[in-house]
Amino acid sequence: MRKIQTYLLPITFFCIIFGGFVVHVLTLDRPQSEMENRPLESANISPSLQEIFSGKWSKQVESYISDQFPARDTWMRDYVFFQRAMGKTYLNDKYAVDDESGWIISKPAAAKSEEELASFATDLQKLSKGLAEKNIPFTFYSLPAKATYSREPSPSYMPDDAGIANNTKLHELVTAAGVDNVRLYDEMKEDLSAERNFFKTDHHWTMRGAYSGYEALLKTVSARLGETITPIPFDEANTFCLPNQFAGSWNKILYMTVDNNEQICYNEPASFATQFTIYDGTMEEGITAPYEAVYGRAKQMNPEALVNYADAYSRDFAELTIVNENYDSDKHLVVIKDSYFNTIQFHVASHFKTVTILDLRYLEKDVISYLQSMKPDYVVLAYNDRNLKLMPE
């Protein structure tokens, strides 16, 4: 009996390790984490000698085991519940949750150094000067982000967020660099309500918040073009929402542990479905796509399907060219954007003969020379105010 007890622990340990290895081998690897919205580490079964001796391969193996661990999402979801049960303020070191309201609040941003902000201002100055060489006007827009302007409800002991201060300082540096710029919050503040303008569990605007941004952006763009362009009025009767459960970006990082009743809603004229010719890329490449394949794909999904922001409105394209049959201005507008603009890209496009939308995260071209060759009438860079680099993260 004593001999059995002596070997029981190592035998049990061996069985657990070997059994876990077998399950790991038999479990199909996943290329992408839907919850974390990132690629997962794949197995490198033929490392080079350099990778082995540099330690790079051992780190890959460690990441691979962590990323492809059997039932990883279940373990991670349980870990979030454990953090909440233990009263941790920042779940996964990122977000605070108010259970009563269902609001998710981001961990406060630290103050950015002047060097980091000045680097972005310098990049904008180079872009502006490069376009000016071809007499192409340019304006930098910062769009009010949820993480900056939605800080409640949050624990009273949570430190102040530096987002507003960072954004204010950036615009001061951009102005000093001679670059035309608009802090869109200044145009929206009379109509800015965190509860109405932002999702509870996602970092983007709601449709109503996006519409306020569209109206403010169009007002300032038309003033710079010297044209009278009137936004499409927001019509409550024209609003419809999907029955699908919404997978907010921040809730996904918390493995959908925050209960909510949020809905994806739309407010768009029926003409949007027919008035555009949409090119995935340039007109010369000739790859067209129907409106419903680019915008609002969730409308065609099963009502039981979980819907994220990209499915609800639009995924990020490296380049979209939108040609409009019913325009107010015959101008060619180029918008360099991040995902905040996706909700309103066709609202803006409905006023111009041609709108080209670029996302520098995916565009494999030198942006200045490409814009110069395009010869647009006006270029706008529209990033949410947490994006402090020309190449957004």
Side-chain angles (χ1 to χ4, degrees), residues 19-32:
F21 173 75
V22 171
V23 172
H24 202 294
V25 170
L26 295 178
T27 301
L28 189 66
D29 287 352
R30 298 183 302 157
Q32 182 85 10

Side-chain angles (χ1 to χ4, degrees), residues 274-286:
T274 57
Q275 76 181 79
F276 304 112
T277 302
I278 307 165
Y279 296 88
D280 184 356
T282 65
M283 292 175 62
E284 291 72 23
E285 291 168 332

Side-chain angles (χ1 to χ4, degrees), residues 4 64 88 92 138 151 153 176 178 181 194 202-204 206 214 245 260 268-269 284 302 306 324 346 350 353 367 388:
I4 293 175
Y64 171 72
K88 189 171 182 180
N92 288 348
F138 168 77
R151 305 304 311 169
N181 63 94
D202 190 279
H203 68 285
H204 294 101
T206 60
Y214 149 69
Q245 183 183 358
N260 71 89
E268 58 191 305
E284 291 72 23
N302 187 307
L306 199 62
N324 181 18
F346 286 99
S350 69
K353 184 176 183 179
V367 64
L388 301 175

